[in-house]
Amino acid sequence: FGARPTEDRVVHQGKVVTSAGVSSGIDMALWLAGRIAGDDFARAVQLLIEYDPQPPYDSGSTAKAGPELTGLIRERAASFR
């Protein structure tokens, strides 16, 4: 269908906006709020929902997780098919 993988958490192309996962859905909502109502409003929403991500691990992307962990996850995911 022409989709290309990206490490971006929020992707905007034409009329379509997508996000990569659960917390990036919040990122997308804040991005949309900024586009619709302005950056100050989006910042206020972020403060109201106290969205201040501080994950306990820094392996939330293939680039950060490294080939060993990424390979392990791919192997396990393949076993569910």
Side-chain angles (χ1 to χ4, degrees), residues 31-53:
W31 182 86
L32 287 166
R35 293 285 300 227
I36 294 167
D39 291 340
D40 288 340
F41 178 80
R43 286 187 193 98
V45 170
Q46 182 177 1
L47 176 59
L48 285 169
I49 65 172
E50 296 183 22
Y51 180 56
D52 187 21

Side-chain angles (χ1 to χ4, degrees), residues 1-5 13 16 18:
F1 296 103
R4 292 181 308 271
Q13 187 172 12
V16 177
T18 60

